[in-house]
């Protein structure tokens, strides 16, 4: 059959085309790598052309466009660019993909079986390591270089999290996201510590803001160069506006497109009048581009510089960072001012005056770009009885250090994640990441250290690290010994409980529905609580209430019409909490839509538009529930044809009977 295909291909005369033309044809994005592999097997005449190094570089760039630059940056330090074997690199990337996907399956299985909970509590990095994917043996099999393996691992994890249908492969995405945070933080920590602990005058605020955004969003693939390029482009828009309003500005006499200042510079390139012209141009561009239809002040995206540049929505501090970046590219020095209730900038407009009167303030969030020192505090009712500025307000109007800017960004993020209306587990996780940064910025602040320990205990990760942190705090602050004495005991108790389960055979808990006819609902159904109206997804069930006696009394279970002798369901509520609800209190949710809980991927593989489909591990415990979900939803829609569910489209094939 292969010989017939090759003969047919050769008979077409295709192989007589010039090699350059064939390479051009094979470079077309419509032809995938597997097409070329198959063609090289079926047509020996094309094999030589298909092995062209230039062709495989094109194919690699088509498949993973952002990786090419990073690969060249890493490998060019060790070999010449023309010696890079792109077919081998392509093969290496595919082998890493297979290893990563296999590892995610192992992590999912181990976490469901609780085999790795003890290891997570000890050291989560050991659970989320990808040693096999980064091995020299794997690179050798591909004929590639192991130095780029880690880059491939992170890239594959990002592809798992971000690519494909939103409600498919939820288990894989769930663990890929956890792995990404762990690996990315290990990569970023040295850079962040270097920036956050450096001399304040040497800090690049754009780099600091970028590192914070990268730390909080490891799923996003962007670098400092990307941020600076976007600011450069925006600065060109300001320059174009300046050319219209002030064509004789001395900026245009300078060769090149911009006149950037180094972070250590403290003086503008121009006199006050020309600086003001630039600030007016910045105002016109920024007012037109940013914060149109502004809403949701407490949203994390408004604190991440990459999102601000993408969405053009910013809170005061990130908007000021953007304006500082634009001004510096055009030769104007703006100083950050950490003012109460907002964040503003100032610049030296009247150098011959004294005190604060020589500065003009910019309050861009409120659309004010020329504010005097006396007008600024009046915005916040801070003037004294004789229209004098209070001393503490005068101090607040002083220029703050760049380290203080980054610290305030972190405080804003902490408050944002505390206020964000998201589920409990995600809020705890993101708060933990912010507090980790806070501990880097202020390592002597024991409040941050204690909060960090509390979050680690709640998330049940890195408990040994939590114990070490408490020991350090107590060593520096002996007065806290009594107040913190219970934390080491909690750590030891938690580790002891988890350690006792290591190696213990897992008791089988397969539940067949035919054995429990009284159980009405099934794992995966979207439910609504009759009394409290919260939406939830069923993650498990018991034929009768299996809660401790103390909980049964506290919750008044025996006062229910059917008491404790009715099925009870483990449910994940929309706020991320785990609850235990009686069957009589649950009903199928009347409107469609998933329950947005970040951990849903731990137990469910997909959402098909009507219910969640259990993953392999959960389906093993409840083997009949997917079929039961299908039957119940069909019956529900049939009985209530007017419900919104009747118009809902299934996004996945129904489970086979």
């Amino acid at each position: 059959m292969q010989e017939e295909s090759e003969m047919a291909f050769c008979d077409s005369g295709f192989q007589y085309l010039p090699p350059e033309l064939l390479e051009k044809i094979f470079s077309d994005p419509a032809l995938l790598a597997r097409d070329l592999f198959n063609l090289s097997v079926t047509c020996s005449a094309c094999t030589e052309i298909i092995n062209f190094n230039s062709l495989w570089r094109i194919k690699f760039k088509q498949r993973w466009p952002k990786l090419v630059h990073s690969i060249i940056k890493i490998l060019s330090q060790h070999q010449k660019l023309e010696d890079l074997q792109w077919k081998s690199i392509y093969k290496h990337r595919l082998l890493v993909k297979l290893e990563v996907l296999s590892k995610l399956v192992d992590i999912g299985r181990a976490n469901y079986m609780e085999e790795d909970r003890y290891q997570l509590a000890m050291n989560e990095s050991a659970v989320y390591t990808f040693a096999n994917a980064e091995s020299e043996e794997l690179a050798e099999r591909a004929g590639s270089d192991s130095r780029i393996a880690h880059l491939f691992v992170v890239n594959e994890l990002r592809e798992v999290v971000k690519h494909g249908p939103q409600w498919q492969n939820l288990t894989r995405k769930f663990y890929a996201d956890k792995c990404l945070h762990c690996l990315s933080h290990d990569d970023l920590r040295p850079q962040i510590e270097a920036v956050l602990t450096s001399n304040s005058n040497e800090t690049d605020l754009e780099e600091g803001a970028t590192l914070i955004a990268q730390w909080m969003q490891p799923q996003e693939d962007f670098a400092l160069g990307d941020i600076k390029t976007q600011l450069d482009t925006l600065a060109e828009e300001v320059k174009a506006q300046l050319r219209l309003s002030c064509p004789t500005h001395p900026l245009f006499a300078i060769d090149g497109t911009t006149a950037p200042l180094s972070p250590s510079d403290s003086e503008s390139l121009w006199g006050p009048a020309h600086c003001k012209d630039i600030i007016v141009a910045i105002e016109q561009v920024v007012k037109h581009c940013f914060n149109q239809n502004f809403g949701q002040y407490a949203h994390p995206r408004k604190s991440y510089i990459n999102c601000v540049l993408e969405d053009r929505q910013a809170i005061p501090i990130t908007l000021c960072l953007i304006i500082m970046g634009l001004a510096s590219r055009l030769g104007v020095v703006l100083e950050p001012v950490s003012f109460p209730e907002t964040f503003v900038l100032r610049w030296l407009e009247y150098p011959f005056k004294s005190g604060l009167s020589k500065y003009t303030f910019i309050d861009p969030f409120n659309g004010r770009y020329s504010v005097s020192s006396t007008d600024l505090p009046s915005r916040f009712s801070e003037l004294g009885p004789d229209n004098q500025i209070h001393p503490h307000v005068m101090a607040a109007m002083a220029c703050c250090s760049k380290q203080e800017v980054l610290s305030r960004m972190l405080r804003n993020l902490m408050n944002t994640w505390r206020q964000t209306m998201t589920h409990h587990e995600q809020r705890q996780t993101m708060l933990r990441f912010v507090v980790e940064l806070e501990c880097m910025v202020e390592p002597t602040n024991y409040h941050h250290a204690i909060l960090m320990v509390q979050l680690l205990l709640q998330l049940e990760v890195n408990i040994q690290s939590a114990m070490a942190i408490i020991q350090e705090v107590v060593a520096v602050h002996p007065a806290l010994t009594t107040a913190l004495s219970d934390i080491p005991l909690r750590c030891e108790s938690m580790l002891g409980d988890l350690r006792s389960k290591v190696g213990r055979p897992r008791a089988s808990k397969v539940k067949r529905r035919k054995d429990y006819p009284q159980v009405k609902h099934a794992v995966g159904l979207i439910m609504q609580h009759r009394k409290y109206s919260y939406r939830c997804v069923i993650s498990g069930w018991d034929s009768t209430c299996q809660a401790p006696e103390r909980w049964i009394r506290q919750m008044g279970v025996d006062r229910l019409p059917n008491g404790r002798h009715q099925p009870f369901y483990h449910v994940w509520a929309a706020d991320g909490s785990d609850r235990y609800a009686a069957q009589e209190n649950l009903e199928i949710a009347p409107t469609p839509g998933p329950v947005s809980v970040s951990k849903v991927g731990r137990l469910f593989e997909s959402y098909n538009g009507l219910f969640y489909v259990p993953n392999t591990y959960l389906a093993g415990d409840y083997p009949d529930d997917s079929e039961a979900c299908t039957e119940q939803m069909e019956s529900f829609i049939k009985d209530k044809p007017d419900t919104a569910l009747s118009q809902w489209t299934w996004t996945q094939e129904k489970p086979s009977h």
Side-chain angles (χ1 to χ4, degrees):
M1 195 65 186
Q2 178 179 328
E3 293 178 357
E4 292 177 2
S5 299
E6 183 174 343
M7 288 180 61
F9 187 85
C10 293
D11 289 343
S12 67
F14 195 69
Q15 77 278 16
Y16 297 118
L17 293 175
E20 297 81 1
L21 183 55
L22 283 176
E23 184 180 4
K24 183 72 173 177
I25 294 172
F26 295 156
S27 299
D28 192 284
L31 282 175
L32 304 180
R34 64 171 175 266
D35 299 323
L36 297 185
F37 280 120
N38 292 336
L39 187 57
S40 66
V41 172
T42 59
C43 179
S44 58
C46 295
T47 301
E48 182 179 353
I49 298 167
I50 289 175
N51 285 329
F52 281 3
N53 196 41
S54 56
L55 176 60
W56 282 101
R57 174 170 176 167
I58 292 171
K59 286 300 173 187
F60 192 99
K61 190 172 184 179
Q62 289 172 353
R63 178 79 180 272
W64 301 286
K66 287 197 170 185
L67 280 182
V68 174
H69 176 73
S70 300
I71 290 171
I72 292 175
K73 183 177 179 181
I74 293 173
L75 296 185
S76 62
Q77 303 173 20
H78 311 283
Q79 56 185 297
K80 296 179 180 179
L81 294 181
E82 56 267 24
D83 293 337
L84 298 182
Q85 298 300 310
W86 287 97
K87 186 175 181 180
S88 297
I89 294 173
Y90 197 109
K91 182 179 179 181
H92 188 190
R93 176 62 180 82
L94 291 179
L95 290 175
V96 168
K97 175 186 180 74
L98 296 176
E99 286 290 337
V100 168
L101 296 181
S102 175
K103 175 67 175 179
L104 291 176
V105 171
D106 292 341
I107 292 174
R109 182 187 304 110
N111 276 267
Y112 184 75
M113 303 293 284
E114 297 189 347
E115 294 171 9
D116 275 0
R117 289 191 63 200
Y118 174 68
Q119 186 60 60
L120 276 172
M122 293 289 288
N123 180 9
E124 65 180 339
S125 294
V127 176
Y128 299 134
T129 183
F130 286 84
N132 290 339
E134 298 184 41
S135 68
E136 293 186 4
E137 186 272 336
L138 196 68
E140 187 176 345
R141 281 173 54 193
S144 182
D145 194 313
S146 60
R147 281 180 281 255
I148 53 178
H150 182 75
L151 180 69
F152 288 171
V153 168
V154 173
N155 179 258
E156 178 59 29
L157 290 172
R158 284 183 177 137
E159 286 204 346
V160 170
V161 171
K162 295 183 68 66
H163 293 181
Q166 180 181 4
W167 298 110
Q168 302 294 314
N169 299 316
L170 297 180
T171 300
R172 183 187 295 175
K173 291 177 180 178
F174 174 75
Y175 289 109
D177 182 69
K178 288 189 171 297
C179 293
L180 258 180
H181 276 93
C182 191
L183 295 181
S184 296
H185 288 180
D186 286 345
D187 294 340
L188 289 170
R189 191 170 282 108
Q191 302 174 56
I192 291 176
E193 289 178 343
V195 169
L196 297 183
T197 59
S198 64
N199 184 301
S200 184
N201 293 329
E202 299 175 355
T203 301
D204 181 347
L205 281 178
E206 292 171 15
E207 181 182 8
T210 300
L211 287 170
I212 290 173
Q214 289 174 322
W215 177 273
M216 300 300 295
Q217 310 167 95
Q219 309 91 339
E220 305 298 330
D221 186 7
F222 64 94
L224 177 61
D226 301 322
I227 301 302
K228 289 186 176 294
T229 297
Q230 292 180 69
L231 288 172
D232 290 344
T233 302
L234 202 55
E236 286 301 307
E237 293 183 32
V238 175
K239 198 172 179 181
Q241 179 62 43
L242 180 65
R243 191 179 294 276
L244 292 174
S245 59
C246 189
T248 59
H249 195 283
L251 171 66
F252 301 118
I254 296 180
D255 293 333
T257 56
T258 57
L261 298 176
S262 65
S264 61
D265 288 337
S266 58
E267 294 184 3
S268 300
L269 292 180
W270 329 109
H274 291 310
C275 287
K276 191 171 185 67
D277 291 334
I278 291 175
I279 292 172
V280 169
I282 290 175
E283 175 184 2
Q284 292 172 320
V285 170
V286 170
K287 279 187 173 181
H288 175 71
C289 294
F290 286 84
N291 285 13
Q292 300 294 314
N293 303 315
F294 184 86
Q296 288 187 299
Y297 186 95
H299 194 290
R301 287 184 65 87
K302 294 179 174 60
S303 293
Y304 304 145
I305 191 167
N306 63 308
C307 297
V308 169
L309 290 169
E310 179 182 347
D311 302 339
R312 301 297 174 95
Q313 299 283 311
I315 57 175
I317 191 167
T318 45
L319 189 57
C320 284
L321 285 181
I322 298 297
I323 292 173
M324 285 181 67
L326 298 179
S328 69
R329 284 163 170 77
L330 301 174
V332 178
V333 172
L334 301 181
E335 297 178 336
V337 177
S338 187
F339 201 71
E341 298 184 36
T342 190
F343 196 91
V344 298
L345 302 169
R346 73 179 193 181
W347 66 284
L348 190 63
E349 184 171 11
Y350 308 105
F352 299 109
K353 291 185 178 182
S354 61
L356 291 175
S357 60
K358 61 184 177 181
Y359 293 103
T360 294
F361 291 81
I362 301 173
D363 179 15
F365 186 77
N366 295 296
R368 305 192 306 167
Y369 283 73
S370 183
V371 187
S372 68
S373 58
T374 54
D375 288 338
L376 185 64
S378 65
R379 168 74 173 79
F380 305 99
S381 303
E382 292 286 357
L383 288 177
D386 300 324
N387 207 36
Q388 297 296 313
I389 302 175
H390 287 302
H392 74 276
V393 178
M394 292 183 66
M397 293 198 302
C399 173
C400 65
S401 71
K402 294 178 179 179
Q403 297 300 91
E404 290 172 327
V405 175
L406 298 178
S407 294
R408 179 151 177 176
M409 288 187 72
L410 294 178
R411 290 197 299 274
N412 284 345
L413 265 177
M414 186 177 295
N415 292 331
T416 293
W417 278 108
R418 280 174 169 161
Q419 300 171 28
T420 298
M421 299 301 293
T422 186
H423 35 83
H424 186 60
E425 183 189 35
Q426 184 183 13
R427 187 163 57 243
Q428 284 182 320
T429 299
M430 300 310 287
L431 276 174
R432 169 204 168 183
F433 297 149
V434 178
V435 175
E436 280 188 79
L437 291 176
E438 289 273 24
C439 290
M440 293 186 212
V441 177
E442 299 181 74
T444 59
N445 188 322
Y446 69 85
H447 296 289
H448 293 156
I450 294 173
L451 178 56
M452 183 68 189
V453 169
Q454 292 171 337
L455 290 168
L456 291 177
L457 285 171
Q458 291 169 5
L459 294 167
E460 294 188 2
V461 295
N462 296 344
I463 305 304
Q464 279 194 325
S465 174
M467 295 173 68
I469 293 172
I470 288 299
Q471 290 173 359
E472 291 176 7
V473 170
V474 170
V476 178
H477 305 280
L480 296 174
T481 302
T482 303
L484 301 178
S485 60
D486 66 315
I487 293 182
L489 296 176
R490 286 176 59 194
C491 293
E492 288 290 356
S493 175
M494 183 181 296
L495 288 176
D497 181 57
L498 293 173
R499 191 185 299 115
S500 67
K501 298 177 182 178
V502 174
R504 182 191 302 173
R506 180 173 178 270
S508 175
K509 58 175 185 178
V510 176
K511 296 180 179 180
R512 293 282 182 182
R513 297 189 69 84
K514 64 182 178 60
D515 299 328
Y516 305 98
Q518 70 273 37
V519 175
K520 180 180 178 181
H521 306 305
V523 166
L525 284 176
I526 309 297
M527 310 300 290
Q528 183 168 299
H529 198 279
R530 283 192 168 98
K531 183 176 181 180
Y532 300 114
S533 299
Y534 63 79
R535 289 165 56 84
C536 57
V537 56
I538 296 176
S539 60
W541 49 259
D542 299 310
S543 57
T544 58
C545 184
Q546 299 299 307
E549 192 65 32
R550 179 180 178 183
W551 184 91
I552 291 175
R553 292 197 301 270
Q554 181 182 355
M555 302 304 293
V557 170
D558 290 328
R559 294 196 297 271
L560 293 171
N562 295 318
R564 69 177 72 186
H565 301 295
Q566 63 174 310
F568 270 70
Y569 297 85
H570 298 276
V571 299
W572 287 344
D575 64 0
S577 60
D578 299 345
R579 307 192 186 190
Y580 198 45
Q583 180 165 278
E584 66 185 64
N585 283 334
L586 293 176
E587 62 181 357
I588 294 177
T591 55
V595 178
S596 298
V597 181
S598 65
K599 64 182 177 182
V600 72
R602 182 174 178 270
L603 296 180
F604 298 99
E605 183 60 29
S606 62
Y607 173 71
N608 64 13
L610 291 178
F611 58 85
Y612 283 98
V613 179
N615 61 22
T616 304
Y617 323 120
L618 184 61
D621 287 339
Y622 300 91
D624 309 321
D625 278 40
S626 287
E627 182 177 340
C629 282
T630 302
E631 294 173 351
Q632 289 183 59
M633 293 310 302
E634 288 177 343
S635 176
F636 179 79
I637 294 173
K638 183 178 179 180
D639 294 341
K640 297 186 178 182
D642 295 333
T643 181
L645 283 170
S646 63
Q647 305 299 322
W648 200 250
T649 302
W650 291 60
T651 59
Q652 186 180 22
E653 292 183 4
K654 302 176 185 179
S656 58
H657 290 252

